[in-house]
Amino acid sequence: MFIYGLGVGLIIAAVVAVYFSSKIGKVNDEKKKEVQKYKNMLSDRMELEAEGLKKVRDENEELKKINENLRVSLLALRDKPGRKEMQRLQVLQKAADRLTINSPGFGPVWQAALKESEEEFQKVYSGFIPFIKRHIPRPTDAEVVDIQDNSNTQ
């Protein structure tokens, strides 16, 4: 009897061991699937971040090139002929405005001189003065050479 009881106990223990071992195997399989899922998610995320980082670096390089081009263009425009003259003109205009406000008697004289200068400027660009300059010869400081005297000496 003891042997029968021992045999039944061993069979029950073997069935329980097989049952729990299969249950533990299923849990291990689920854990492996979950770990693989997390690895895939991590891999996908790292790929996306790598692509985004590459795009940001490329855009940064492009912006650096554009910035350098704009800096060179700005330097070229700052040194462009006429730029210094325009700055000087602005400085002179501010000085004239201050003199007009601060100095009594300067305003009317300045306004008259400004009006005369504007009229002369308009004449130059309206064609009156250029017409005169084209058709009336200017006096020169060159010495006049007598052609007859040169023919006798030869």
Side-chain angles (χ1 to χ4, degrees):
M1 237 4 210
F2 175 72
I3 296 194
Y4 288 122
L6 184 63
V8 171
L10 287 176
I11 291 176
I12 290 175
V15 170
V16 169
V18 169
Y19 173 75
F20 280 117
S21 115
S22 69
K23 195 169 192 178
I24 289 174
K26 287 181 184 177
V27 169
N28 284 341
D29 288 343
E30 288 176 4
K31 287 182 181 178
K32 286 180 183 178
K33 285 181 183 178
E34 191 172 344
V35 167
Q36 187 61 37
K37 182 179 97 174
Y38 287 139
K39 283 182 180 179
N40 290 339
M41 287 173 55
L42 181 62
S43 172
D44 291 343
R45 182 172 176 138
M46 288 175 65
E47 286 177 10
L48 290 173
E49 287 179 359
E51 289 175 8
L53 187 60
K54 184 180 182 301
K55 285 181 184 177
V56 167
R57 285 182 181 160
D58 291 343
E59 185 178 345
N60 190 17
E61 288 299 318
E62 184 177 338
L63 289 174
K64 283 181 181 178
K65 289 178 185 175
I66 291 172
N67 187 22
E68 182 64 22
N69 289 341
L70 288 174
R71 187 185 66 79
V72 169
S73 298
L74 181 63
L75 289 174
L77 287 176
R78 189 176 352 163
D79 295 337
K80 188 176 183 181
R83 181 73 174 171
K84 290 182 181 177
E85 289 80 8
M86 290 299 292
Q87 290 173 348
R88 183 70 178 162
L89 181 63
Q90 289 175 352
V91 168
L92 291 174
Q93 181 62 40
K94 280 187 178 184
D97 291 342
R98 287 182 182 150
L99 280 174
T100 302
I101 292 170
N102 296 332
S103 301
F106 176 77
V109 174
W110 170 251
Q111 292 297 329
L114 183 64
K115 192 171 209 169
E116 288 175 10
S117 298
E118 285 176 351
E119 288 174 359
E120 182 180 335
F121 185 78
Q122 289 300 325
K123 286 179 184 176
V124 166
Y125 282 98
S126 67
F128 180 70
I129 292 178
F131 177 77
I132 292 174
K133 287 182 180 179
R134 268 187 270 147
H135 295 294
I136 298 176
R138 293 183 187 171
T140 63
D141 293 335
E143 295 181 15
V144 178
V145 178
D146 190 11
I147 298 174
Q148 292 174 354
D149 289 338
N150 287 342
S151 62
N152 290 340
T153 58
Q154 292 177 0

